[in-house]
mmCIF file with all atom_site columns, all heavy atoms in Angstrom:
data_model
loop_
_atom_site.group_PDB
_atom_site.id
_atom_site.type_symbol
_atom_site.label_atom_id
_atom_site.label_alt_id
_atom_site.label_comp_id
_atom_site.label_asym_id
_atom_site.label_entity_id
_atom_site.label_seq_id
_atom_site.pdbx_PDB_ins_code
_atom_site.Cartn_x
_atom_site.Cartn_y
_atom_site.Cartn_z
_atom_site.occupancy
_atom_site.B_iso_or_equiv
_atom_site.pdbx_formal_charge
_atom_site.auth_seq_id
_atom_site.auth_comp_id
_atom_site.auth_asym_id
_atom_site.auth_atom_id
_atom_site.pdbx_PDB_model_num
ATOM 1   N N   . ARG Q 1 1  ? -85.085 48.625 -60.741 1.00 0.00 ? 1  ARG Q N   1
ATOM 2   C CA  . ARG Q 1 1  ? -86.329 48.349 -61.447 1.00 0.00 ? 1  ARG Q CA  1
ATOM 3   C C   . ARG Q 1 1  ? -86.118 47.225 -62.449 1.00 0.00 ? 1  ARG Q C   1
ATOM 4   O O   . ARG Q 1 1  ? -85.154 47.204 -63.199 1.00 0.00 ? 1  ARG Q O   1
ATOM 5   C CB  . ARG Q 1 1  ? -86.810 49.602 -62.177 1.00 0.00 ? 1  ARG Q CB  1
ATOM 6   C CG  . ARG Q 1 1  ? -87.326 50.674 -61.222 1.00 0.00 ? 1  ARG Q CG  1
ATOM 7   C CD  . ARG Q 1 1  ? -87.676 51.945 -61.954 1.00 0.00 ? 1  ARG Q CD  1
ATOM 8   N NE  . ARG Q 1 1  ? -88.106 52.977 -61.012 1.00 0.00 ? 1  ARG Q NE  1
ATOM 9   C CZ  . ARG Q 1 1  ? -88.210 54.252 -61.315 1.00 0.00 ? 1  ARG Q CZ  1
ATOM 10  N NH1 . ARG Q 1 1  ? -87.896 54.683 -62.523 1.00 0.00 ? 1  ARG Q NH1 1
ATOM 11  N NH2 . ARG Q 1 1  ? -88.615 55.132 -60.427 1.00 0.00 ? 1  ARG Q NH2 1
ATOM 12  N N   . GLY Q 1 2  ? -87.022 46.277 -62.430 1.00 0.00 ? 2  GLY Q N   1
ATOM 13  C CA  . GLY Q 1 2  ? -86.961 45.196 -63.397 1.00 0.00 ? 2  GLY Q CA  1
ATOM 14  C C   . GLY Q 1 2  ? -86.103 44.029 -62.957 1.00 0.00 ? 2  GLY Q C   1
ATOM 15  O O   . GLY Q 1 2  ? -86.060 43.007 -63.623 1.00 0.00 ? 2  GLY Q O   1
ATOM 16  N N   . GLU Q 1 3  ? -85.409 44.153 -61.823 1.00 0.00 ? 3  GLU Q N   1
ATOM 17  C CA  . GLU Q 1 3  ? -84.605 43.029 -61.362 1.00 0.00 ? 3  GLU Q CA  1
ATOM 18  C C   . GLU Q 1 3  ? -85.500 41.972 -60.724 1.00 0.00 ? 3  GLU Q C   1
ATOM 19  O O   . GLU Q 1 3  ? -86.480 42.275 -60.066 1.00 0.00 ? 3  GLU Q O   1
ATOM 20  C CB  . GLU Q 1 3  ? -83.573 43.494 -60.336 1.00 0.00 ? 3  GLU Q CB  1
ATOM 21  C CG  . GLU Q 1 3  ? -82.451 44.304 -60.941 1.00 0.00 ? 3  GLU Q CG  1
ATOM 22  C CD  . GLU Q 1 3  ? -81.319 44.497 -59.939 1.00 0.00 ? 3  GLU Q CD  1
ATOM 23  O OE1 . GLU Q 1 3  ? -81.392 43.898 -58.857 1.00 0.00 ? 3  GLU Q OE1 1
ATOM 24  O OE2 . GLU Q 1 3  ? -80.386 45.242 -60.264 1.00 0.00 ? 3  GLU Q OE2 1
ATOM 25  N N   . GLY Q 1 4  ? -85.141 40.714 -60.908 1.00 0.00 ? 4  GLY Q N   1
ATOM 26  C CA  . GLY Q 1 4  ? -85.896 39.638 -60.296 1.00 0.00 ? 4  GLY Q CA  1
ATOM 27  C C   . GLY Q 1 4  ? -85.658 39.580 -58.797 1.00 0.00 ? 4  GLY Q C   1
ATOM 28  O O   . GLY Q 1 4  ? -84.595 39.949 -58.313 1.00 0.00 ? 4  GLY Q O   1
ATOM 29  N N   . VAL Q 1 5  ? -86.661 39.117 -58.089 1.00 0.00 ? 5  VAL Q N   1
ATOM 30  C CA  . VAL Q 1 5  ? -86.551 39.042 -56.636 1.00 0.00 ? 5  VAL Q CA  1
ATOM 31  C C   . VAL Q 1 5  ? -85.413 38.118 -56.226 1.00 0.00 ? 5  VAL Q C   1
ATOM 32  O O   . VAL Q 1 5  ? -84.652 38.414 -55.306 1.00 0.00 ? 5  VAL Q O   1
ATOM 33  C CB  . VAL Q 1 5  ? -87.881 38.573 -56.014 1.00 0.00 ? 5  VAL Q CB  1
ATOM 34  C CG1 . VAL Q 1 5  ? -87.723 38.379 -54.513 1.00 0.00 ? 5  VAL Q CG1 1
ATOM 35  C CG2 . VAL Q 1 5  ? -88.987 39.563 -56.311 1.00 0.00 ? 5  VAL Q CG2 1
ATOM 36  N N   . ASP Q 1 6  ? -85.265 36.967 -56.906 1.00 0.00 ? 6  ASP Q N   1
ATOM 37  C CA  . ASP Q 1 6  ? -84.208 36.022 -56.551 1.00 0.00 ? 6  ASP Q CA  1
ATOM 38  C C   . ASP Q 1 6  ? -82.834 36.667 -56.690 1.00 0.00 ? 6  ASP Q C   1
ATOM 39  O O   . ASP Q 1 6  ? -81.958 36.497 -55.845 1.00 0.00 ? 6  ASP Q O   1
ATOM 40  C CB  . ASP Q 1 6  ? -84.285 34.775 -57.439 1.00 0.00 ? 6  ASP Q CB  1
ATOM 41  C CG  . ASP Q 1 6  ? -85.509 33.930 -57.118 1.00 0.00 ? 6  ASP Q CG  1
ATOM 42  O OD1 . ASP Q 1 6  ? -86.068 34.102 -56.021 1.00 0.00 ? 6  ASP Q OD1 1
ATOM 43  O OD2 . ASP Q 1 6  ? -85.900 33.109 -57.968 1.00 0.00 ? 6  ASP Q OD2 1
ATOM 44  N N   . ASP Q 1 7  ? -82.660 37.424 -57.765 1.00 0.00 ? 7  ASP Q N   1
ATOM 45  C CA  . ASP Q 1 7  ? -81.373 38.090 -57.973 1.00 0.00 ? 7  ASP Q CA  1
ATOM 46  C C   . ASP Q 1 7  ? -81.141 39.138 -56.892 1.00 0.00 ? 7  ASP Q C   1
ATOM 47  O O   . ASP Q 1 7  ? -80.029 39.295 -56.381 1.00 0.00 ? 7  ASP Q O   1
ATOM 48  C CB  . ASP Q 1 7  ? -81.340 38.744 -59.355 1.00 0.00 ? 7  ASP Q CB  1
ATOM 49  C CG  . ASP Q 1 7  ? -80.004 39.398 -59.642 1.00 0.00 ? 7  ASP Q CG  1
ATOM 50  O OD1 . ASP Q 1 7  ? -78.978 38.707 -59.531 1.00 0.00 ? 7  ASP Q OD1 1
ATOM 51  O OD2 . ASP Q 1 7  ? -79.988 40.592 -59.962 1.00 0.00 ? 7  ASP Q OD2 1
ATOM 52  N N   . LEU Q 1 8  ? -82.204 39.855 -56.539 1.00 0.00 ? 8  LEU Q N   1
ATOM 53  C CA  . LEU Q 1 8  ? -82.099 40.868 -55.512 1.00 0.00 ? 8  LEU Q CA  1
ATOM 54  C C   . LEU Q 1 8  ? -81.712 40.250 -54.172 1.00 0.00 ? 8  LEU Q C   1
ATOM 55  O O   . LEU Q 1 8  ? -80.838 40.736 -53.463 1.00 0.00 ? 8  LEU Q O   1
ATOM 56  C CB  . LEU Q 1 8  ? -83.428 41.617 -55.374 1.00 0.00 ? 8  LEU Q CB  1
ATOM 57  C CG  . LEU Q 1 8  ? -83.433 42.865 -54.485 1.00 0.00 ? 8  LEU Q CG  1
ATOM 58  C CD1 . LEU Q 1 8  ? -82.503 43.922 -55.067 1.00 0.00 ? 8  LEU Q CD1 1
ATOM 59  C CD2 . LEU Q 1 8  ? -84.835 43.414 -54.369 1.00 0.00 ? 8  LEU Q CD2 1
ATOM 60  N N   . LEU Q 1 9  ? -82.347 39.136 -53.833 1.00 0.00 ? 9  LEU Q N   1
ATOM 61  C CA  . LEU Q 1 9  ? -82.017 38.451 -52.589 1.00 0.00 ? 9  LEU Q CA  1
ATOM 62  C C   . LEU Q 1 9  ? -80.592 37.916 -52.631 1.00 0.00 ? 9  LEU Q C   1
ATOM 63  O O   . LEU Q 1 9  ? -79.886 37.909 -51.616 1.00 0.00 ? 9  LEU Q O   1
ATOM 64  C CB  . LEU Q 1 9  ? -83.009 37.309 -52.337 1.00 0.00 ? 9  LEU Q CB  1
ATOM 65  C CG  . LEU Q 1 9  ? -84.433 37.749 -51.969 1.00 0.00 ? 9  LEU Q CG  1
ATOM 66  C CD1 . LEU Q 1 9  ? -85.362 36.545 -51.922 1.00 0.00 ? 9  LEU Q CD1 1
ATOM 67  C CD2 . LEU Q 1 9  ? -84.442 38.476 -50.635 1.00 0.00 ? 9  LEU Q CD2 1
ATOM 68  N N   . GLY Q 1 10 ? -80.184 37.463 -53.812 1.00 0.00 ? 10 GLY Q N   1
ATOM 69  C CA  . GLY Q 1 10 ? -78.809 36.998 -53.955 1.00 0.00 ? 10 GLY Q CA  1
ATOM 70  C C   . GLY Q 1 10 ? -77.818 38.113 -53.670 1.00 0.00 ? 10 GLY Q C   1
ATOM 71  O O   . GLY Q 1 10 ? -76.801 37.912 -53.004 1.00 0.00 ? 10 GLY Q O   1
ATOM 72  N N   . GLN Q 1 11 ? -78.122 39.304 -54.192 1.00 0.00 ? 11 GLN Q N   1
ATOM 73  C CA  . GLN Q 1 11 ? -77.267 40.454 -53.916 1.00 0.00 ? 11 GLN Q CA  1
ATOM 74  C C   . GLN Q 1 11 ? -77.250 40.750 -52.431 1.00 0.00 ? 11 GLN Q C   1
ATOM 75  O O   . GLN Q 1 11 ? -76.208 41.047 -51.847 1.00 0.00 ? 11 GLN Q O   1
ATOM 76  C CB  . GLN Q 1 11 ? -77.773 41.685 -54.664 1.00 0.00 ? 11 GLN Q CB  1
ATOM 77  C CG  . GLN Q 1 11 ? -77.589 41.633 -56.168 1.00 0.00 ? 11 GLN Q CG  1
ATOM 78  C CD  . GLN Q 1 11 ? -77.979 42.958 -56.785 1.00 0.00 ? 11 GLN Q CD  1
ATOM 79  O OE1 . GLN Q 1 11 ? -77.479 43.995 -56.387 1.00 0.00 ? 11 GLN Q OE1 1
ATOM 80  N NE2 . GLN Q 1 11 ? -78.897 42.924 -57.735 1.00 0.00 ? 11 GLN Q NE2 1
ATOM 81  N N   . THR Q 1 12 ? -78.416 40.679 -51.803 1.00 0.00 ? 12 THR Q N   1
ATOM 82  C CA  . THR Q 1 12 ? -78.515 40.967 -50.375 1.00 0.00 ? 12 THR Q CA  1
ATOM 83  C C   . THR Q 1 12 ? -77.624 40.030 -49.575 1.00 0.00 ? 12 THR Q C   1
ATOM 84  O O   . THR Q 1 12 ? -76.899 40.448 -48.679 1.00 0.00 ? 12 THR Q O   1
ATOM 85  C CB  . THR Q 1 12 ? -79.976 40.831 -49.896 1.00 0.00 ? 12 THR Q CB  1
ATOM 86  O OG1 . THR Q 1 12 ? -80.797 41.728 -50.634 1.00 0.00 ? 12 THR Q OG1 1
ATOM 87  C CG2 . THR Q 1 12 ? -80.085 41.134 -48.416 1.00 0.00 ? 12 THR Q CG2 1
ATOM 88  N N   . ILE Q 1 13 ? -77.666 38.739 -49.915 1.00 0.00 ? 13 ILE Q N   1
ATOM 89  C CA  . ILE Q 1 13 ? -76.839 37.759 -49.211 1.00 0.00 ? 13 ILE Q CA  1
ATOM 90  C C   . ILE Q 1 13 ? -75.355 38.070 -49.408 1.00 0.00 ? 13 ILE Q C   1
ATOM 91  O O   . ILE Q 1 13 ? -74.564 38.055 -48.465 1.00 0.00 ? 13 ILE Q O   1
ATOM 92  C CB  . ILE Q 1 13 ? -77.158 36.334 -49.699 1.00 0.00 ? 13 ILE Q CB  1
ATOM 93  C CG1 . ILE Q 1 13 ? -78.582 35.945 -49.265 1.00 0.00 ? 13 ILE Q CG1 1
ATOM 94  C CG2 . ILE Q 1 13 ? -76.142 35.336 -49.151 1.00 0.00 ? 13 ILE Q CG2 1
ATOM 95  C CD1 . ILE Q 1 13 ? -79.091 34.688 -49.921 1.00 0.00 ? 13 ILE Q CD1 1
ATOM 96  N N   . ARG Q 1 14 ? -74.982 38.394 -50.643 1.00 0.00 ? 14 ARG Q N   1
ATOM 97  C CA  . ARG Q 1 14 ? -73.579 38.685 -50.899 1.00 0.00 ? 14 ARG Q CA  1
ATOM 98  C C   . ARG Q 1 14 ? -73.119 39.921 -50.135 1.00 0.00 ? 14 ARG Q C   1
ATOM 99  O O   . ARG Q 1 14 ? -72.016 39.953 -49.588 1.00 0.00 ? 14 ARG Q O   1
ATOM 100 C CB  . ARG Q 1 14 ? -73.349 38.865 -52.401 1.00 0.00 ? 14 ARG Q CB  1
ATOM 101 C CG  . ARG Q 1 14 ? -73.467 37.563 -53.188 1.00 0.00 ? 14 ARG Q CG  1
ATOM 102 C CD  . ARG Q 1 14 ? -72.901 37.709 -54.590 1.00 0.00 ? 14 ARG Q CD  1
ATOM 103 N NE  . ARG Q 1 14 ? -73.625 38.688 -55.388 1.00 0.00 ? 14 ARG Q NE  1
ATOM 104 C CZ  . ARG Q 1 14 ? -74.731 38.415 -56.080 1.00 0.00 ? 14 ARG Q CZ  1
ATOM 105 N NH1 . ARG Q 1 14 ? -75.257 37.202 -56.039 1.00 0.00 ? 14 ARG Q NH1 1
ATOM 106 N NH2 . ARG Q 1 14 ? -75.314 39.340 -56.802 1.00 0.00 ? 14 ARG Q NH2 1
ATOM 107 N N   . PHE Q 1 15 ? -73.968 40.959 -50.102 1.00 0.00 ? 15 PHE Q N   1
ATOM 108 C CA  . PHE Q 1 15 ? -73.583 42.164 -49.385 1.00 0.00 ? 15 PHE Q CA  1
ATOM 109 C C   . PHE Q 1 15 ? -73.613 41.960 -47.880 1.00 0.00 ? 15 PHE Q C   1
ATOM 110 O O   . PHE Q 1 15 ? -72.858 42.568 -47.142 1.00 0.00 ? 15 PHE Q O   1
ATOM 111 C CB  . PHE Q 1 15 ? -74.469 43.345 -49.796 1.00 0.00 ? 15 PHE Q CB  1
ATOM 112 C CG  . PHE Q 1 15 ? -74.134 43.872 -51.146 1.00 0.00 ? 15 PHE Q CG  1
ATOM 113 C CD1 . PHE Q 1 15 ? -75.066 43.882 -52.163 1.00 0.00 ? 15 PHE Q CD1 1
ATOM 114 C CD2 . PHE Q 1 15 ? -72.863 44.357 -51.420 1.00 0.00 ? 15 PHE Q CD2 1
ATOM 115 C CE1 . PHE Q 1 15 ? -74.748 44.359 -53.421 1.00 0.00 ? 15 PHE Q CE1 1
ATOM 116 C CE2 . PHE Q 1 15 ? -72.531 44.834 -52.672 1.00 0.00 ? 15 PHE Q CE2 1
ATOM 117 C CZ  . PHE Q 1 15 ? -73.476 44.835 -53.676 1.00 0.00 ? 15 PHE Q CZ  1
ATOM 118 N N   . ASP Q 1 16 ? -74.501 41.059 -47.399 1.00 0.00 ? 16 ASP Q N   1
ATOM 119 C CA  . ASP Q 1 16 ? -74.490 40.705 -45.980 1.00 0.00 ? 16 ASP Q CA  1
ATOM 120 C C   . ASP Q 1 16 ? -73.125 40.135 -45.612 1.00 0.00 ? 16 ASP Q C   1
ATOM 121 O O   . ASP Q 1 16 ? -72.568 40.434 -44.554 1.00 0.00 ? 16 ASP Q O   1
ATOM 122 C CB  . ASP Q 1 16 ? -75.572 39.660 -45.679 1.00 0.00 ? 16 ASP Q CB  1
ATOM 123 C CG  . ASP Q 1 16 ? -76.842 40.295 -45.133 1.00 0.00 ? 16 ASP Q CG  1
ATOM 124 O OD1 . ASP Q 1 16 ? -76.718 41.275 -44.394 1.00 0.00 ? 16 ASP Q OD1 1
ATOM 125 O OD2 . ASP Q 1 16 ? -77.929 39.815 -45.461 1.00 0.00 ? 16 ASP Q OD2 1
ATOM 126 N N   . GLU Q 1 17 ? -72.584 39.283 -46.502 1.00 0.00 ? 17 GLU Q N   1
ATOM 127 C CA  . GLU Q 1 17 ? -71.294 38.669 -46.233 1.00 0.00 ? 17 GLU Q CA  1
ATOM 128 C C   . GLU Q 1 17 ? -70.190 39.721 -46.213 1.00 0.00 ? 17 GLU Q C   1
ATOM 129 O O   . GLU Q 1 17 ? -69.278 39.666 -45.385 1.00 0.00 ? 17 GLU Q O   1
ATOM 130 C CB  . GLU Q 1 17 ? -71.002 37.615 -47.295 1.00 0.00 ? 17 GLU Q CB  1
ATOM 131 C CG  . GLU Q 1 17 ? -71.918 36.387 -47.201 1.00 0.00 ? 17 GLU Q CG  1
ATOM 132 C CD  . GLU Q 1 17 ? -71.753 35.458 -48.381 1.00 0.00 ? 17 GLU Q CD  1
ATOM 133 O OE1 . GLU Q 1 17 ? -71.097 35.850 -49.369 1.00 0.00 ? 17 GLU Q OE1 1
ATOM 134 O OE2 . GLU Q 1 17 ? -72.272 34.326 -48.325 1.00 0.00 ? 17 GLU Q OE2 1
ATOM 135 N N   . ARG Q 1 18 ? -70.302 40.724 -47.097 1.00 0.00 ? 18 ARG Q N   1
ATOM 136 C CA  . ARG Q 1 18 ? -69.295 41.776 -47.133 1.00 0.00 ? 18 ARG Q CA  1
ATOM 137 C C   . ARG Q 1 18 ? -69.386 42.673 -45.909 1.00 0.00 ? 18 ARG Q C   1
ATOM 138 O O   . ARG Q 1 18 ? -68.401 43.238 -45.460 1.00 0.00 ? 18 ARG Q O   1
ATOM 139 C CB  . ARG Q 1 18 ? -69.453 42.622 -48.385 1.00 0.00 ? 18 ARG Q CB  1
ATOM 140 C CG  . ARG Q 1 18 ? -69.117 41.911 -49.673 1.00 0.00 ? 18 ARG Q CG  1
ATOM 141 C CD  . ARG Q 1 18 ? -69.073 42.869 -50.835 1.00 0.00 ? 18 ARG Q CD  1
ATOM 142 N NE  . ARG Q 1 18 ? -68.039 43.879 -50.620 1.00 0.00 ? 18 ARG Q NE  1
ATOM 143 C CZ  . ARG Q 1 18 ? -67.825 44.899 -51.456 1.00 0.00 ? 18 ARG Q CZ  1
ATOM 144 N NH1 . ARG Q 1 18 ? -68.569 45.041 -52.513 1.00 0.00 ? 18 ARG Q NH1 1
ATOM 145 N NH2 . ARG Q 1 18 ? -66.868 45.770 -51.218 1.00 0.00 ? 18 ARG Q NH2 1
ATOM 146 N N   . ALA Q 1 19 ? -70.602 42.810 -45.369 1.00 0.00 ? 19 ALA Q N   1
ATOM 147 C CA  . ALA Q 1 19 ? -70.813 43.751 -44.275 1.00 0.00 ? 19 ALA Q CA  1
ATOM 148 C C   . ALA Q 1 19 ? -70.046 43.376 -43.020 1.00 0.00 ? 19 ALA Q C   1
ATOM 149 O O   . ALA Q 1 19 ? -69.797 44.221 -42.172 1.00 0.00 ? 19 ALA Q O   1
ATOM 150 C CB  . ALA Q 1 19 ? -72.302 43.855 -43.953 1.00 0.00 ? 19 ALA Q CB  1
ATOM 151 N N   . VAL Q 1 20 ? -69.662 42.086 -42.879 1.00 0.00 ? 20 VAL Q N   1
ATOM 152 C CA  . VAL Q 1 20 ? -68.908 41.673 -41.694 1.00 0.00 ? 20 VAL Q CA  1
ATOM 153 C C   . VAL Q 1 20 ? -67.413 41.813 -41.936 1.00 0.00 ? 20 VAL Q C   1
ATOM 154 O O   . VAL Q 1 20 ? -66.617 41.541 -41.043 1.00 0.00 ? 20 VAL Q O   1
ATOM 155 C CB  . VAL Q 1 20 ? -69.237 40.215 -41.288 1.00 0.00 ? 20 VAL Q CB  1
ATOM 156 C CG1 . VAL Q 1 20 ? -70.707 40.083 -40.972 1.00 0.00 ? 20 VAL Q CG1 1
ATOM 157 C CG2 . VAL Q 1 20 ? -68.837 39.226 -42.383 1.00 0.00 ? 20 VAL Q CG2 1
ATOM 158 N N   . GLY Q 1 21 ? -67.035 42.210 -43.136 1.00 0.00 ? 21 GLY Q N   1
ATOM 159 C CA  . GLY Q 1 21 ? -65.623 42.371 -43.443 1.00 0.00 ? 21 GLY Q CA  1
ATOM 160 C C   . GLY Q 1 21 ? -65.160 43.801 -43.228 1.00 0.00 ? 21 GLY Q C   1
ATOM 161 O O   . GLY Q 1 21 ? -65.686 44.534 -42.402 1.00 0.00 ? 21 GLY Q O   1
ATOM 162 N N   . GLY Q 1 22 ? -64.165 44.195 -44.010 1.00 0.00 ? 22 GLY Q N   1
ATOM 163 C CA  . GLY Q 1 22 ? -63.565 45.506 -43.795 1.00 0.00 ? 22 GLY Q CA  1
ATOM 164 C C   . GLY Q 1 22 ? -64.184 46.616 -44.604 1.00 0.00 ? 22 GLY Q C   1
ATOM 165 O O   . GLY Q 1 22 ? -63.650 47.721 -44.662 1.00 0.00 ? 22 GLY Q O   1
ATOM 166 N N   . ASP Q 1 23 ? -65.290 46.359 -45.247 1.00 0.00 ? 23 ASP Q N   1
ATOM 167 C CA  . ASP Q 1 23 ? -65.894 47.361 -46.113 1.00 0.00 ? 23 ASP Q CA  1
ATOM 168 C C   . ASP Q 1 23 ? -67.331 47.613 -45.674 1.00 0.00 ? 23 ASP Q C   1
ATOM 169 O O   . ASP Q 1 23 ? -68.253 47.667 -46.471 1.00 0.00 ? 23 ASP Q O   1
ATOM 170 C CB  . ASP Q 1 23 ? -65.860 46.863 -47.560 1.00 0.00 ? 23 ASP Q CB  1
ATOM 171 C CG  . ASP Q 1 23 ? -65.869 48.018 -48.560 1.00 0.00 ? 23 ASP Q CG  1
ATOM 172 O OD1 . ASP Q 1 23 ? -65.658 49.162 -48.153 1.00 0.00 ? 23 ASP Q OD1 1
ATOM 173 O OD2 . ASP Q 1 23 ? -66.088 47.743 -49.745 1.00 0.00 ? 23 ASP Q OD2 1
ATOM 174 N N   . ALA Q 1 24 ? -67.529 47.767 -44.375 1.00 0.00 ? 24 ALA Q N   1
ATOM 175 C CA  . ALA Q 1 24 ? -68.871 47.780 -43.810 1.00 0.00 ? 24 ALA Q CA  1
ATOM 176 C C   . ALA Q 1 24 ? -69.696 48.965 -44.272 1.00 0.00 ? 24 ALA Q C   1
ATOM 177 O O   . ALA Q 1 24 ? -70.913 48.853 -44.434 1.00 0.00 ? 24 ALA Q O   1
ATOM 178 C CB  . ALA Q 1 24 ? -68.796 47.754 -42.285 1.00 0.00 ? 24 ALA Q CB  1
ATOM 179 N N   . ASP Q 1 25 ? -69.063 50.109 -44.477 1.00 0.00 ? 25 ASP Q N   1
ATOM 180 C CA  . ASP Q 1 25 ? -69.842 51.267 -44.912 1.00 0.00 ? 25 ASP Q CA  1
ATOM 181 C C   . ASP Q 1 25 ? -70.461 51.015 -46.288 1.00 0.00 ? 25 ASP Q C   1
ATOM 182 O O   . ASP Q 1 25 ? -71.655 51.207 -46.505 1.00 0.00 ? 25 ASP Q O   1
ATOM 183 C CB  . ASP Q 1 25 ? -68.997 52.541 -44.915 1.00 0.00 ? 25 ASP Q CB  1
ATOM 184 C CG  . ASP Q 1 25 ? -67.700 52.412 -45.700 1.00 0.00 ? 25 ASP Q CG  1
ATOM 185 O OD1 . ASP Q 1 25 ? -67.409 51.308 -46.190 1.00 0.00 ? 25 ASP Q OD1 1
ATOM 186 O OD2 . ASP Q 1 25 ? -66.982 53.418 -45.804 1.00 0.00 ? 25 ASP Q OD2 1
ATOM 187 N N   . TYR Q 1 26 ? -69.639 50.537 -47.214 1.00 0.00 ? 26 TYR Q N   1
ATOM 188 C CA  . TYR Q 1 26 ? -70.112 50.236 -48.572 1.00 0.00 ? 26 TYR Q CA  1
ATOM 189 C C   . TYR Q 1 26 ? -71.244 49.216 -48.540 1.00 0.00 ? 26 TYR Q C   1
ATOM 190 O O   . TYR Q 1 26 ? -72.312 49.406 -49.118 1.00 0.00 ? 26 TYR Q O   1
ATOM 191 C CB  . TYR Q 1 26 ? -68.945 49.706 -49.393 1.00 0.00 ? 26 TYR Q CB  1
ATOM 192 C CG  . TYR Q 1 26 ? -69.281 49.296 -50.810 1.00 0.00 ? 26 TYR Q CG  1
ATOM 193 C CD1 . TYR Q 1 26 ? -69.108 50.168 -51.877 1.00 0.00 ? 26 TYR Q CD1 1
ATOM 194 C CD2 . TYR Q 1 26 ? -69.764 48.018 -51.080 1.00 0.00 ? 26 TYR Q CD2 1
ATOM 195 C CE1 . TYR Q 1 26 ? -69.414 49.782 -53.166 1.00 0.00 ? 26 TYR Q CE1 1
ATOM 196 C CE2 . TYR Q 1 26 ? -70.076 47.626 -52.369 1.00 0.00 ? 26 TYR Q CE2 1
ATOM 197 C CZ  . TYR Q 1 26 ? -69.885 48.512 -53.404 1.00 0.00 ? 26 TYR Q CZ  1
ATOM 198 O OH  . TYR Q 1 26 ? -70.189 48.121 -54.676 1.00 0.00 ? 26 TYR Q OH  1
ATOM 199 N N   . ALA Q 1 27 ? -71.005 48.100 -47.852 1.00 0.00 ? 27 ALA Q N   1
ATOM 200 C CA  . ALA Q 1 27 ? -71.972 47.008 -47.856 1.00 0.00 ? 27 ALA Q CA  1
ATOM 201 C C   . ALA Q 1 27 ? -73.295 47.422 -47.239 1.00 0.00 ? 27 ALA Q C   1
ATOM 202 O O   . ALA Q 1 27 ? -74.371 47.102 -47.753 1.00 0.00 ? 27 ALA Q O   1
ATOM 203 C CB  . ALA Q 1 27 ? -71.399 45.806 -47.100 1.00 0.00 ? 27 ALA Q CB  1
ATOM 204 N N   . ASN Q 1 28 ? -73.248 48.160 -46.134 1.00 0.00 ? 28 ASN Q N   1
ATOM 205 C CA  . ASN Q 1 28 ? -74.480 48.536 -45.457 1.00 0.00 ? 28 ASN Q CA  1
ATOM 206 C C   . ASN Q 1 28 ? -75.259 49.602 -46.223 1.00 0.00 ? 28 ASN Q C   1
ATOM 207 O O   . ASN Q 1 28 ? -76.490 49.591 -46.218 1.00 0.00 ? 28 ASN Q O   1
ATOM 208 C CB  . ASN Q 1 28 ? -74.173 48.993 -44.034 1.00 0.00 ? 28 ASN Q CB  1
ATOM 209 C CG  . ASN Q 1 28 ? -73.894 47.826 -43.113 1.00 0.00 ? 28 ASN Q CG  1
ATOM 210 O OD1 . ASN Q 1 28 ? -74.725 46.943 -42.953 1.00 0.00 ? 28 ASN Q OD1 1
ATOM 211 N ND2 . ASN Q 1 28 ? -72.717 47.794 -42.510 1.00 0.00 ? 28 ASN Q ND2 1
ATOM 212 N N   . PHE Q 1 29 ? -74.559 50.523 -46.886 1.00 0.00 ? 29 PHE Q N   1
ATOM 213 C CA  . PHE Q 1 29 ? -75.263 51.461 -47.758 1.00 0.00 ? 29 PHE Q CA  1
ATOM 214 C C   . PHE Q 1 29 ? -76.013 50.703 -48.850 1.00 0.00 ? 29 PHE Q C   1
ATOM 215 O O   . PHE Q 1 29 ? -77.168 50.997 -49.166 1.00 0.00 ? 29 PHE Q O   1
ATOM 216 C CB  . PHE Q 1 29 ? -74.282 52.449 -48.411 1.00 0.00 ? 29 PHE Q CB  1
ATOM 217 C CG  . PHE Q 1 29 ? -74.012 53.674 -47.603 1.00 0.00 ? 29 PHE Q CG  1
ATOM 218 C CD1 . PHE Q 1 29 ? -72.717 54.058 -47.304 1.00 0.00 ? 29 PHE Q CD1 1
ATOM 219 C CD2 . PHE Q 1 29 ? -75.048 54.485 -47.152 1.00 0.00 ? 29 PHE Q CD2 1
ATOM 220 C CE1 . PHE Q 1 29 ? -72.448 55.197 -46.564 1.00 0.00 ? 29 PHE Q CE1 1
ATOM 221 C CE2 . PHE Q 1 29 ? -74.798 55.631 -46.414 1.00 0.00 ? 29 PHE Q CE2 1
ATOM 222 C CZ  . PHE Q 1 29 ? -73.494 55.980 -46.117 1.00 0.00 ? 29 PHE Q CZ  1
ATOM 223 N N   . MET Q 1 30 ? -75.339 49.721 -49.433 1.00 0.00 ? 30 MET Q N   1
ATOM 224 C CA  . MET Q 1 30 ? -75.959 48.949 -50.504 1.00 0.00 ? 30 MET Q CA  1
ATOM 225 C C   . MET Q 1 30 ? -77.162 48.171 -49.988 1.00 0.00 ? 30 MET Q C   1
ATOM 226 O O   . MET Q 1 30 ? -78.220 48.129 -50.619 1.00 0.00 ? 30 MET Q O   1
ATOM 227 C CB  . MET Q 1 30 ? -74.931 47.980 -51.107 1.00 0.00 ? 30 MET Q CB  1
ATOM 228 C CG  . MET Q 1 30 ? -73.798 48.655 -51.839 1.00 0.00 ? 30 MET Q CG  1
ATOM 229 S SD  . MET Q 1 30 ? -74.325 49.375 -53.408 1.00 0.00 ? 30 MET Q SD  1
ATOM 230 C CE  . MET Q 1 30 ? -74.418 47.926 -54.429 1.00 0.00 ? 30 MET Q CE  1
#
């Protein structure tokens, strides 16, 4: 709540990058 959309999308991109690595469960939950 209260987070900006740009920041949220930035997080999404970063977690997308993590999801292809060795921590897929964490990244995809996020």
Side-chain angles (χ1 to χ4, degrees):
R1 289 175 183 166
E3 288 192 6
V5 175
D6 290 341
D7 182 54
L8 189 63
L9 290 173
Q11 290 186 54
T12 301
I13 292 169
R14 290 194 297 275
F15 285 120
D16 263 324
E17 291 171 349
R18 291 190 61 184
V20 300
D23 206 13
D25 53 356
Y26 178 95
N28 283 302
F29 272 127
M30 293 288 283

